[in-house]
Amino acid sequence: MLDAVKQYLRIDGSEQNSLLSSFIAAAKAYLANAGVEENEKDDLYKLAVCIFVSIHFYGDDKGGLERALTSIILQIKKYGGGSSEPA
């Protein structure tokens, strides 16, 4: 996931690896708290992590990234509410 985030942010080298790894862990916790199951094979999940890290690494003055993140969360969130099988 670190390599994907670095590619998304266009960061070379390893100077920021520790900070980025912390942001990645925070992104995964944020998504889990929002009801999103961890799935690093899902492209939308990876994009959500990248956007979260970007918001905290570079900022998001106009809120566009925050809106994009919210939209992705709503698309991939697993909603509870009982069984989907008929009674």
Side-chain angles (χ1 to χ4, degrees):
M1 184 63 76
L2 179 60
D3 289 335
V5 168
K6 288 173 70 172
Q7 184 176 0
Y8 179 84
L9 299 175
R10 297 182 180 167
I11 295 175
D12 292 327
S14 60
E15 301 85 27
Q16 302 292 335
N17 283 3
S18 179
L19 177 62
L20 293 174
S21 293
S22 295
F23 285 150
I24 291 167
K28 289 178 178 182
Y30 179 87
L31 292 169
N33 289 339
V36 176
E37 294 178 8
E38 184 172 344
N39 182 358
E40 292 189 17
K41 294 180 181 180
D42 182 347
D43 289 336
L44 278 178
Y45 182 87
K46 287 190 284 190
L47 181 58
V49 170
C50 290
I51 290 172
F52 180 95
V53 173
S54 179
I55 290 169
H56 292 86
F57 190 76
Y58 289 126
D60 183 27
D61 293 338
K62 296 184 180 180
L65 290 175
E66 184 68 37
R67 286 189 297 278
L69 180 59
T70 300
S71 175
I72 291 170
I73 288 170
L74 292 174
Q75 291 178 52
I76 61 177
K77 180 177 179 171
K78 302 298 182 202
Y79 292 93
S83 174
S84 60
E85 295 187 25

